[in-house]
Amino acid sequence: MTASNETSGTEQAIRLSNVCKSYGDYPVLKGIDASVARGEVVVICGPSGSGKSTLIRTVNRLEEINSGSIFFEGQDIHAPMGGRALNRLRSRIGFVFQNFNLFPHLSAVDNVAMSPVRVKGVNPAEAHDKALKLLDRVGLAEKAFSYPGQLSGGQQQRVAIARALAMEPPVMLFDEPTSALDPEMVGEVLNVMKSLAADGMTMMCVTHEMGFARDVADRIWFIDAGEIIEEATPEDFFRNPKHPRAQRFLADLR
Ligand code: ADP
Ligand code: MG
């Protein structure tokens, strides 16, 4: 996307500036500088324990940071703010977890309709109608009144995506959304993510699904030991990874 066809505000959806985070005296993020443009899909990959989850969780402030800043549409999301402001901010940054995190006592449609009613004050009937449409969009119109326990993992994850979309977030974050799924269910979730990307959603996805990365990502961030050590297009990353640790990571996947 070029600045010339940008209609409102800043071109960057998310910008991280020298973000550092430690657990105790163990540094997990060591000065992350990176940004995501509007409409861009970034795939974050790297070895287990490298800081991928911590990084993505700082972006909607599920984790605090020790220094640096993170801007979402120009707003400093780690600035001091009250609980309501933080909830409002979080509601604009959709988050999809590895383990779905649905409310077990609510049907699919109620899981999807809940936050718009609670956080945004949307009229319940309207939220319900919209939730049905979103479930249709993720291919689950027939499961609207099923409970999470009656759904497969892939179906639950699609409900979780619909639930995040219900808040109409301009940005969606995914932390290994298919890692907890049986292999035959991975595709249905990736297809929903692909269709979101095709619709122009700004996305940050932590995933080990390199086929998805190759087909859908605009850019790959390779993170190792708390640093982004390579940032490249999928073409460059897969064909010609520059950093030895990225080369090793890719070799181990084969
Ligand atoms: P990844 O998602 O890349 O596997 P994480 O971001 O989950 O990595 O973790 C990065 C490092 O931080 C790991 O060494 C992990 O053990 C450590 N870590 C993660 N969460 C915590 C926590 N709440 N307390 C202490 N250490 C943590
Ligand atoms: Mg992780």
Side-chain angles (χ1 to χ4, degrees):
M1 188 185 290
T2 61
S4 58
N5 62 22
E6 187 61 32
T7 50
S8 65
T10 161
E11 188 180 341
Q12 304 300 351
I14 292 165
R15 185 161 67 83
L16 298 102
S17 172
N18 199 18
V19 172
C20 297
K21 164 147 189 103
S22 303
Y23 290 113
D25 53 15
Y26 177 71
V28 187
L29 300 177
K30 303 174 189 163
I32 303 281
D33 278 308
S35 50
V36 182
R38 292 191 181 187
E40 191 175 31
V41 177
V42 169
V43 162
I44 302 167
C45 62
S48 177
S50 56
K52 304 180 298 294
S53 293
T54 305
L55 174 63
I56 202 163
R57 290 166 64 85
T58 63
V59 173
N60 74 341
R61 209 165 159 178
L62 287 169
E63 297 282 355
E64 297 295 327
I65 59 180
N66 297 104
S67 61
S69 25
I70 303 177
F71 295 92
F72 165 60
E73 299 197 322
Q75 183 184 359
D76 179 357
I77 66 168
H78 284 265
M81 66 180 85
R84 280 184 62 159
L86 183 57
N87 281 341
R88 216 174 309 124
L89 179 68
R90 282 209 183 110
S91 74
R92 304 195 61 232
I93 307 175
F95 201 105
V96 176
F97 299 87
Q98 185 175 339
N99 291 309
F100 333 132
N101 289 5
L102 297 176
F103 296 105
H105 59 291
L106 295 179
S107 65
V109 66
D110 287 339
N111 264 283
V112 177
M114 192 180 92
S115 289
V117 173
R118 290 247 181 113
V119 179
K120 277 183 157 179
V122 174
N123 158 307
E126 200 179 299
H128 185 90
D129 281 355
K130 189 172 158 206
L132 292 176
K133 292 198 182 91
L134 283 167
L135 287 170
D136 187 38
R137 177 168 180 195
V138 300
L140 289 174
E142 276 118 73
K143 299 291 183 185
F145 299 96
S146 298
Y147 287 80
Q150 301 169 312
L151 299 174
S152 71
Q155 290 168 338
Q156 290 184 63
Q157 192 59 298
R158 286 185 284 151
V159 174
I161 293 172
R163 180 178 62 175
L165 291 174
M167 296 302 278
E168 302 180 340
V171 170
M172 289 278 285
L173 311 178
F174 296 85
D175 189 4
E176 298 204 28
T178 61
S179 306
L181 301 177
D182 291 335
E184 70 270 25
M185 292 168 189
V186 169
E188 66 197 56
V189 171
L190 293 180
N191 284 337
V192 169
M193 293 168 66
K194 273 184 199 172
S195 90
L196 280 179
D199 286 350
M201 178 64 80
T202 306
M203 296 165 56
M204 288 176 75
C205 313
V206 175
T207 183
H208 296 295
E209 293 293 333
M210 293 297 118
F212 175 85
R214 197 186 292 264
D215 294 346
V216 181
D218 295 302
R219 259 183 323 147
I220 309 239
W221 297 355
F222 179 75
I223 179 167
D224 190 51
E227 292 176 285
I228 297 175
I229 59 172
E230 188 152 340
E231 229 192 287
T233 63
E235 295 75 36
D236 288 343
F237 183 72
F238 290 111
R239 203 175 302 150
N240 184 25
K242 298 205 169 41
H243 201 290
R245 278 180 279 176
Q247 291 165 3
R248 205 176 320 130
F249 176 80
L250 287 171
D252 286 349
L253 290 177
R254 294 192 181 111

